[in-house]
Amino acid sequence: MSLTPPVGDLLPRRGNLLSKAIARLMMLASGWRFEGPLPNLKQFVLIVGPHTSSWDFLIGTMAIFALGIRATYLGKDTLFKAPFGFVFRWIGGVPVDRQSPHNVVAQMIERLENRDRMILAISPEGTRKKTPRWRTGFYWVALGAGVPIVPVVLDFSRKRYVIHPPQVMTGDAEQEIAHLQTFFRAEQACRPERY
């Protein structure tokens, strides 16, 4: 366990010494730490959860800046409207209209194929509300782009970012998604009753 794990040379970068220092000071003040190594890969889909609160986004953003890595994430389109929409885009957000998603899976596969380095961060639940099943777009993006999935748990009970090893998908969706779900538990969530 460490404040931040080593960041390999293959990962996409962002920020500078000042932004990393500020985010690391915030981590020190709040008590959050990393557990597990960050894979040194040019591309992967990072699934993060449990997603039950607006705090998840803030805690996740703090981690990204503390590491000094660039991540692309999907967010509901209403987040990207004035006056603060530019902030969500600057952080790495891509707006998605939930009423008419326009084949987001194909768009994300294309983005991964057209970029040398990219981390796509997705919450499999797709919402902060309690949901009976995960949305599976993240799985099909990883499979279609031929990149691994890295599960990261926001463990609020211990204030830990738990990074699990990369998981390679083979196309057995039901079994592989069930396996990915074993990394996440309700007691880790900010709002356990919503998971």
Side-chain angles (χ1 to χ4, degrees):
M1 181 180 58
S2 62
L3 183 61
T4 59
V7 177
D9 60 339
L10 298 179
L11 292 160
R13 301 298 180 100
R14 78 162 306 135
N16 54 39
L17 289 175
L18 180 61
S19 62
K20 283 196 274 192
I22 291 169
R24 289 175 182 184
L25 281 171
M26 291 170 65
M27 283 183 64
L28 281 170
S30 62
W32 279 83
R33 300 286 184 276
F34 283 90
E35 194 173 289
L38 187 64
N40 189 23
L41 300 170
K42 286 185 175 185
Q43 294 185 323
F44 55 90
V45 172
L46 185 151
I47 59 170
V48 61
H51 183 37
T52 61
S53 164
S54 296
W55 283 105
D56 303 339
F57 178 78
L58 297 173
I59 296 298
T61 301
M62 180 172 65
I64 293 297
F65 278 93
L67 291 167
I69 61 174
R70 177 173 297 283
T72 300
Y73 69 93
L74 304 177
K76 60 183 177 180
D77 60 335
T78 54
L79 292 174
F80 297 87
K81 295 181 178 174
F84 299 111
F86 74 95
V87 174
F88 291 102
R89 280 190 176 82
W90 176 74
I91 294 170
V94 174
V96 174
D97 181 353
R98 289 183 179 172
Q99 306 305 315
S100 179
H102 304 296
N103 204 357
V104 173
V105 169
Q107 291 176 40
M108 291 301 106
I109 290 171
E110 184 177 355
R111 274 184 189 242
L112 281 159
E113 289 174 344
N114 291 328
R115 292 190 183 175
D116 182 47
R117 298 169 195 239
M118 181 176 166
I119 299 169
L120 178 61
I122 297 178
S123 167
E125 298 106 312
T127 180
R128 293 172 308 219
K129 298 173 186 170
K130 190 167 187 167
T131 179
R133 67 182 62 85
W134 280 4
R135 296 182 183 185
T136 60
F138 74 92
Y139 177 88
W140 300 111
V141 169
L143 187 69
V147 301
I149 293 175
V150 176
V152 176
V153 176
L154 297 182
D155 187 347
F156 279 83
S157 67
R158 299 182 306 126
K159 291 190 176 181
R160 297 291 180 262
Y161 303 101
V162 184
I163 304 169
H164 291 281
Q167 311 288 308
V168 176
M169 302 298 107
T170 66
D172 187 350
E174 187 175 336
Q175 182 177 347
E176 289 169 342
I177 291 171
H179 171 69
L180 291 168
Q181 289 173 325
T182 65
F183 294 111
F184 303 90
R185 299 185 311 278
E187 61 268 22
Q188 299 164 325
C190 181
R191 303 279 301 272
E193 70 279 5
R194 290 186 179 177
Y195 188 71

